[in-house]
Amino acid sequence: MRNPKTIAIIGNGAIARHLRAALPGSGIALGALLVRTERLKERPESDPIWISQPDDLPENVDLIVDCAGHAALQTFGAEILTKGRDLLTVSLGALADDALRERLENAAQDGASTLYQASGAIGALDALRAAATGRLDLVRYTGRKHPLGWAGSPAEEMLDLDDPPPHPVTHFAGNARDAALRYPKNANVAAAVALAGVGFDRTEVSLIADPDVTRNVHEITAEGAFGSFHFRIEGATLPDNPRSSALAAMSVVSALMDTRTRLRF
């Protein structure tokens, strides 16, 4: 992914809108918005071309940015990569599905393209990735949200989120693979940690409903030949969608803008 001049965006949610707002003045144009067929009727007359099939992508699109979640990556990812288009995604939890991950890798190989991964709502992945080149003995991710932040997730099977207990409750304890597959809207961070470190099966995950937190809290603990570190971030959400991480949206913008410079991390 180097110096794209025209991109397409998959989705029209809060993260997609944040990215679009960052494009003016960047030297990067929006060539298309790829959405589900039923969403085409929502297109304003003043908006860029909306499409529902990768076949309709304009020829001048250099990069497709997936801001639409696991289903979009599953639906469009392989087709985009097979046709030689690079793809940037924030839907890392979808890669816990080995069959999908293999399909995307094969598609990228066939199309001589690349699937890029945005870091999402977490930091310290550069340190974790470096540590993974040596011996890593432990990688643990802990995610805390207010009980209402887990609405629509399997946490509802264990807790009454409208009347939760007055103390933190762990509603998931397992590995990153199970977390990402069971919580597709909540565990992209666990997947990012797994991909940067010791993989989905060895990464320990705890998900907690905590009535005392006002922001989403993400913590990584790692130990190994490098030493040890503990990283914690309290993430704000996007103003127009309290379910979308501001940092996740910013990580997509950062990954895209990084392609515009020859000095990069």
Side-chain angles (χ1 to χ4, degrees):
M1 181 174 55
R2 181 174 175 182
N3 198 23
K5 294 180 174 58
T6 304
I7 66 168
I9 298 175
I10 304 176
N12 193 38
I15 293 178
R17 293 193 295 272
H18 180 89
L19 174 59
R20 291 180 65 179
L23 292 180
S26 69
I28 300 174
L30 177 62
L33 202 67
L34 179 57
V35 299
R36 297 191 303 272
T37 301
E38 61 269 24
R39 299 290 300 275
L40 290 176
K41 62 180 180 293
E42 302 173 10
R43 181 181 68 85
E45 291 185 4
S46 59
D47 227 351
I49 183 171
W50 288 33
I51 59 175
S52 61
Q53 300 297 327
D55 277 344
D56 296 329
L57 285 165
E59 288 294 327
N60 67 334
V61 167
D62 304 304
L63 174 72
I64 293 88
V65 185
D66 164 34
C67 299
H70 294 197
L73 188 60
Q74 293 162 348
T75 302
F76 298 123
E79 184 177 354
I80 288 169
L81 293 166
T82 298
K83 293 181 177 179
R85 309 261 197 172
D86 288 342
L87 178 63
L88 169 65
T89 184
V90 75
S91 305
L92 303 189
L95 301 179
D97 181 340
D98 283 340
L100 174 63
R101 188 173 177 181
E102 182 178 3
R103 183 155 58 93
L104 293 173
E105 288 175 345
N106 289 338
Q109 183 173 353
D110 292 343
S113 55
T114 302
L115 174 63
Y116 295 94
Q117 303 164 44
S119 57
I122 193 67
L125 297 184
D126 52 348
L128 184 59
R129 191 176 295 112
T133 65
R135 188 191 75 251
L136 273 172
D137 302 316
L138 168 71
V139 179
R140 179 183 297 122
Y141 165 71
T142 302
R144 294 176 181 269
K145 295 183 181 181
H146 188 275
L148 294 178
W150 296 106
S153 80
E156 293 181 324
E157 300 168 8
M158 297 181 58
L159 298 168
D160 180 354
L161 299 181
D162 293 323
D163 186 24
H167 53 79
V169 176
T170 299
H171 53 85
F172 175 88
N175 64 33
R177 186 182 305 280
D178 290 342
L181 294 176
R182 289 191 61 197
Y183 292 76
K185 296 182 179 180
N186 302 92
N188 279 324
V189 176
V193 173
L195 289 164
V198 293
F200 284 98
D201 296 317
R202 288 183 55 202
T203 301
E204 301 175 12
V205 174
S206 295
L207 303 179
I208 301 171
D210 187 341
D212 296 325
V213 300
T214 57
R215 291 182 170 182
N216 296 343
V217 179
H218 307 288
E219 296 177 271
I220 306 173
T221 299
E223 300 174 2
F226 75 98
S228 64
F229 76 74
H230 180 83
F231 177 85
R232 173 187 171 104
I233 185 170
E234 298 184 16
T237 59
L238 290 173
D240 57 344
N241 187 345
R243 295 185 184 277
S244 294
S245 161
L247 188 58
M250 293 170 183
S251 78
V252 176
V253 175
S254 175
L256 183 58
M257 298 310 170
D258 191 47
T259 66
R260 309 292 292 176
T261 178
R262 294 185 179 274
L263 297 177
R264 65 186 67 176
F265 289 103

